[in-house]
Amino acid sequence: KNCVKTSSKQDVPIHLKDSNRDKKETGDGIGYKYPHNFPANWVPQNYLPEELIEEVFWEPGKNGWEGKRKHLFSQRKQSQLKIINQEN
């Protein structure tokens, strides 16, 4: 897919921007949740520009480790979308 190249100018989510400079003025870095501080090293948080949130870049197969985790991946995707919808 070329959706990253062809989508309009994409802004990095503000919580992912470097907060070392001008944090108070810009809000950069505010709201970032470090996944390794959460159970299973995962937290529902958006890591994509708004234009790409609904894009599917990978679908787990039904065999092997992907198949065993397919339900977990689906739950996490739904959690992320719920958080994103609440933010907007």
Side-chain angles (χ1 to χ4, degrees):
K1 283 187 166 185
N2 287 325
C3 56
V4 174
K5 286 183 180 180
T6 58
S7 63
S8 62
K9 180 181 174 280
Q10 302 144 15
D11 289 321
V12 173
I14 198 150
H15 61 274
L16 295 179
K17 292 182 179 181
D18 183 6
S19 64
N20 290 317
R21 200 178 113 207
D22 303 328
K23 178 180 186 174
K24 289 181 183 174
E25 291 80 18
T26 63
D28 291 353
I30 293 174
Y32 176 71
K33 297 174 185 169
Y34 184 61
H36 296 281
N37 288 342
F38 292 85
N41 300 320
W42 184 84
V43 62
Q45 190 165 42
N46 178 35
Y47 298 101
L48 292 172
E50 208 169 299
E51 298 85 1
L52 300 175
I53 288 172
E54 297 292 331
E55 286 293 332
V56 176
F57 295 99
W58 174 75
E59 288 277 350
K62 53 186 172 182
N63 298 322
W65 70 270
E66 292 179 17
K68 291 177 185 173
R69 291 170 182 85
K70 191 170 186 161
H71 182 69
L72 174 65
F73 295 145
S74 176
Q75 285 179 321
R76 287 183 174 181
K77 173 89 173 173
Q78 293 307 311
S79 294
Q80 284 178 309
L81 291 174
K82 186 177 179 181
I83 294 295
I84 290 164
N85 288 332
Q86 289 173 353
E87 291 172 353
N88 293 333

